[in-house]
Amino acid sequence: MSEFSFVSVPLPVTPKLYTLLNTTLCEHFTQQSKPKDHSADFYTLHFKDSSYNAEQGGSHPIEIAIKQQASGEWKIMYITEFAFFGSYYPELERDVDFDIENDMVFMTGSGWQSLKSKGLSDFYTLWENNFRSYIEMAAYDVIKVNQA
């Protein structure tokens, strides 16, 4: 399985995150009953803490979508973090959404804004560092890759 080569995006995505995506995808392909190279041009990676719930909390589920470009390189299309909202009947909803394809970000409490908004780069860096820390702590016990 060859490594995925990524194009840059308008966020300060670190090489460590790209390595994490590569590792996750490579593990997915080697765990298949018939290992093969990637054949789809769009993958969604899901990171889930199965113990996360509205009452006790836990690590928020994360979804990262990547798409192959005409050049053969891959681009992160979006990174979405979900969380439970609501008191009597909590529902899992989007909390943070880095919609890279549309150059927008959604944050609960402030809504949609441009990826170029002041302070967003710092927020993304903090977010990514936290996410990678949760990965290192093995907080996500369910990691899946879906292809389209």
Side-chain angles (χ1 to χ4, degrees):
M1 166 79 215
S2 60
E3 286 199 16
F4 287 70
S5 176
F6 288 91
V7 298
S8 63
V9 295
L11 288 172
V13 177
T14 66
K16 289 180 180 181
L17 183 64
Y18 288 128
T19 299
L20 169 68
L21 297 177
N22 262 307
T23 302
T24 302
L25 289 161
C26 289
E27 286 175 2
H28 165 73
F29 291 116
T30 57
Q31 291 174 358
Q32 291 180 335
S33 59
K34 294 182 182 178
K36 60 183 179 183
D37 278 350
H38 54 274
S39 58
D41 62 357
F42 191 94
Y43 292 99
T44 308
L45 294 82
H46 305 270
F47 300 85
K48 182 180 175 186
D49 168 6
S50 60
S51 67
Y52 174 62
N53 61 55
E55 293 80 30
Q56 297 172 327
S59 299
H60 293 180
I62 305 295
E63 184 174 295
I64 301 174
I66 63 169
K67 182 178 181 183
Q68 189 169 33
Q69 306 299 290
S71 66
E73 295 175 300
W74 293 80
K75 179 181 180 184
I76 297 174
M77 303 306 286
Y78 64 82
I79 300 171
T80 306
E81 177 176 328
F82 298 91
F84 279 106
F85 290 94
S87 53
Y88 293 110
Y89 302 103
E91 293 185 27
L92 197 59
E93 298 179 15
R94 174 182 54 202
D95 186 23
V96 177
D97 188 359
F98 299 101
D99 184 353
I100 296 165
E101 181 67 7
N102 294 303
D103 291 322
M104 300 293 287
V105 63
F106 174 87
M107 293 184 281
T108 300
S110 60
W112 287 102
Q113 53 190 295
S114 169
L115 285 179
K116 297 172 183 81
S117 298
K118 184 177 181 174
L120 186 65
S121 180
D122 292 338
F123 174 75
Y124 173 79
T125 298
L126 177 65
W127 181 91
E128 184 188 308
N129 286 336
N130 287 339
F131 173 62
R132 286 188 292 105
S133 293
Y134 296 143
I135 292 289
E136 290 171 11
M137 295 185 305
Y140 298 106
D141 58 340
V142 178
I143 299 176
K144 293 184 179 178
V145 176
N146 293 337
Q147 63 185 44

